[in-house]
Amino acid sequence: MKALVLGAGIVGVTTAYELNRRGYAVTVIDREAEAASFTSYCNAGLFAPGHAYAWSSPAAPGILLRSLWRGDQALRFKPNADPRFWRWMWKFWGECTAERAALNTIRKLRLCNFSLSVFHETLARTKIAYDGRKGGLLYLYRSAAALDAAMAKSRILTDNGCRIERLDGAAIARRDPALAPVGSLFAGALYAPDDESGDCRMFAIGLRQFLEGQGVVFKFGTAITGLSTEAGRVSAVATSAGSETADVIVLCLGVYSPHLVRELGHDLPIYPVKGYAMTAPVTDAAAAPALGGVDEETLVAYAPFGKRLRVTSTAEFSGYDRSHGPGDFRTMLKTMRTLFPMAADWDRAEHCAGLRPMTPAGTPILGPSRLSNLWFNTGQGHMGWTMSHGAARLTAQLITGEAPAIPLDGMTAAT
Ligand SMILES: Cc1cc2nc3c(=O)[nH]c(=O)nc-3n(C[C@H](O)[C@H](O)[C@H](O)COP(=O)(O)OP(=O)(O)OC[C@H]3O[C@@H](n4cnc5c(N)ncnc54)[C@H](O)[C@@H]3O)c2cc1C
């Protein structure tokens, strides 16, 4: 059986892995020159079930509206005339009740936890190097009120199988000695001991190499331009290098997934939420973080990747624009210079921006489409590195008719 995976981001590459393991002859198509060269290029690298909260919550509409005049760095909301944007926002608003937020958080957490176990299996089999770091992540709070609120909020995670510990300033320094000089800045932290970090792009490239060794074909520099249909199935995938056919086709195009299937009657509720990232060489290993984490005051995330330090920030609604300028990195730089002032050479940092493929609920879209041989695995949003391994396993299970390992409630497309 022949499978075509459309997109070689982390979601596409992990999907190719799961299908290859089940005996499919897999071809992966992407217009970039290498795996994980678009959004999967520069994420924070946090493998974070301990941060699986749904973004849509009762507080979210107010936060979005306030960002219109506050000139916030962490959240930027630039309304535009795109009807898809307003349809997405309308659905997002619908997910902002306390009940929906709780349900979506539990569904996300279940997928994240499953994904972590699949990830460990894949690592054991492939031995891919990815500058990973086990030992937990730190979610840092500068005020006691914010820490108390976060602790109360985390009940939904701990009630559903996620371990979270409350740390005071001294305990933070014991977990990560690089934070000892600034321990007094924080009222405390929530520590998720089972969370991890690692370079998503490095892993994706390692997996691409492993898969090529297993006979998987990667066609890079190839744009997918359309789908032809016949008798209720996709008869051909049109690309810049000719057309392709397959028994099974999986859509993993991130923020571009909706574009390809719109004419087939699918209105996938995925919209880009932009974020910015910096990666700098570590200059003093002892001053660099031992664990990844998030400064919850500035909403800056960071992770040590071997001899590099990755920092990310911002959720910005500004369409498909991926441009960036020095002002976009100001809060990140200030936070890093406060937390880890001697750790890295920020003058030599690489800068980039990425587009999170967000759904209103924050859960991905998996499973069958209206066409019998077309399947979805897309919309992993702000947690695509964390969710990709589990989402790929579930997708392969659905395609082969196996029972999915976890419930898929709220994660399938309307057909
Ligand atoms: C700043 C930032 C920080 C983040 N931090 C984290 C984190 O700490 N932890 C976490 O779990 N997640 C994080 N994420 C989210 C995560 O990076 C994404 O969810 C994930 O990368 C999405 O992967 P994907 O494969 O769906 O999409 P992409 O990586 O965008 O892959 C889609 C692929 O499709 C290809 N493509 C699209 N259209 C076409 C076409 N017409 N023809 C050919 N090819 C096409 C693209 O070239 C691309 O390679 C972060 C994201 C950002 C932006």
Side-chain angles (χ1 to χ4, degrees):
M1 294 276 271
K2 187 177 170 198
L4 264 184
V5 176
L6 310 185
I10 187 62
V11 174
V13 179
T14 48
T15 302
Y17 174 77
E18 292 293 335
L19 288 173
N20 170 260
R21 281 200 72 186
R22 283 163 175 76
Y24 281 83
V26 183
T27 299
V28 185
I29 305 178
D30 200 293
R31 61 186 166 203
E32 300 287 345
E34 176 55 281
S37 294
F38 195 69
T39 299
S40 304
Y41 185 86
C42 59
N43 58 41
L46 304 184
F47 217 103
H51 225 230
Y53 303 109
W55 279 9
S56 43
S57 71
I63 296 171
L64 279 175
L65 286 174
R66 276 195 300 280
S67 75
L68 279 173
W69 62 84
R70 268 186 41 193
D72 207 320
Q73 277 277 315
L75 183 77
R76 300 184 198 162
F77 181 43
K78 298 181 183 165
N80 62 48
D82 179 0
R84 285 195 57 239
F85 168 74
W86 290 108
R87 279 206 302 280
W88 189 95
M89 267 299 158
W90 179 249
K91 288 185 178 159
F92 181 81
W93 242 247
E95 298 292 338
C96 284
T97 64
E99 295 74 30
R100 295 296 304 171
L103 189 64
N104 291 331
T105 298
I106 291 168
R107 288 172 173 169
K108 287 176 70 186
L109 177 63
R110 188 160 50 205
L111 175 55
C112 290
N113 280 336
F114 172 60
S115 196
L116 190 60
S117 66
V118 175
F119 178 52
H120 289 161
E121 256 181 55
T122 307
L123 273 181
R125 178 164 175 255
T126 61
K127 314 262 186 303
I128 291 169
Y130 68 109
D131 280 343
R133 192 76 58 101
K134 290 196 166 64
L137 296 175
L138 286 167
Y139 303 104
L140 302 157
Y141 292 88
R142 299 195 189 195
S143 81
L147 179 64
D148 288 344
M151 193 64 204
K153 185 178 167 188
S154 72
R155 266 295 292 273
I156 190 161
L157 301 182
T158 51
D159 284 351
N160 288 282
C162 184
R163 292 197 299 154
I164 290 186
E165 298 166 19
R166 182 178 176 139
L167 305 184
D168 62 15
I172 293 174
R174 280 197 296 279
R175 287 283 167 202
D176 193 338
L179 284 167
V182 290
S184 60
L185 196 64
F186 297 106
L190 298 192
Y191 169 62
D194 302 317
D195 286 7
E196 305 181 7
S197 63
D199 186 339
C200 171
R201 179 164 206 253
M202 196 173 160
F203 177 86
I205 292 173
L207 194 54
R208 190 266 297 157
Q209 288 163 342
F210 175 88
L211 287 172
E212 282 178 338
Q214 306 289 312
V216 172
V217 175
F218 283 81
K219 294 191 174 174
F220 288 114
T222 305
I224 299 151
T225 52
L227 301 177
S228 307
T229 61
E230 207 180 295
R233 62 197 313 278
V234 175
S235 50
V237 177
T239 80
S240 54
S243 80
E244 300 269 352
T245 55
D247 303 294
V248 162
I249 298 161
V250 191
L251 183 75
C252 309
L253 295 180
V255 291
Y256 289 100
S257 292
H259 300 229
L260 197 67
V261 293
R262 197 178 309 148
E263 284 181 8
L264 309 180
H266 276 289
D267 182 16
L268 296 185
I270 295 172
Y271 204 75
V273 180
K274 187 177 184 181
Y276 300 89
M278 296 174 71
T279 314
V282 167
T283 45
D284 178 356
L291 299 177
V294 179
D295 182 339
E296 298 282 358
E297 175 92 5
T298 58
L299 292 176
V300 168
Y302 60 87
F305 289 172
K307 292 182 178 141
R308 297 164 297 142
L309 183 53
R310 170 71 50 82
V311 195
T312 73
S313 169
T314 310
E316 179 176 310
F317 291 85
S318 55
Y320 285 77
D321 167 46
R322 282 175 76 217
S323 63
H324 53 79
D328 299 315
F329 302 93
R330 209 175 299 128
T331 303
M332 271 182 257
L333 266 179
K334 191 170 168 208
T335 304
M336 285 301 104
R337 288 191 166 130
T338 305
L339 265 52
F340 309 107
M342 310 306 286
D345 182 353
W346 298 108
D347 293 334
R348 289 199 286 140
E350 183 197 356
H351 301 82
C352 78
L355 304 177
R356 303 172 182 93
M358 284 296 292
T359 62
T363 43
I365 300 167
L366 312 177
S369 74
R370 288 188 174 156
L371 297 152
S372 60
N373 61 340
L374 178 68
W375 300 77
F376 297 128
N377 181 9
T378 188
Q380 280 79 0
H382 70 114
M383 302 202 77
W385 166 225
T386 310
M387 290 177 172
S388 54
H389 317 272
R393 172 75 52 92
L394 293 168
T395 301
Q397 288 173 334
L398 289 169
I399 289 170
T400 54
E402 298 160 58
I406 61 168
L408 294 173
D409 311 337
M411 296 193 204
T412 47
T415 48

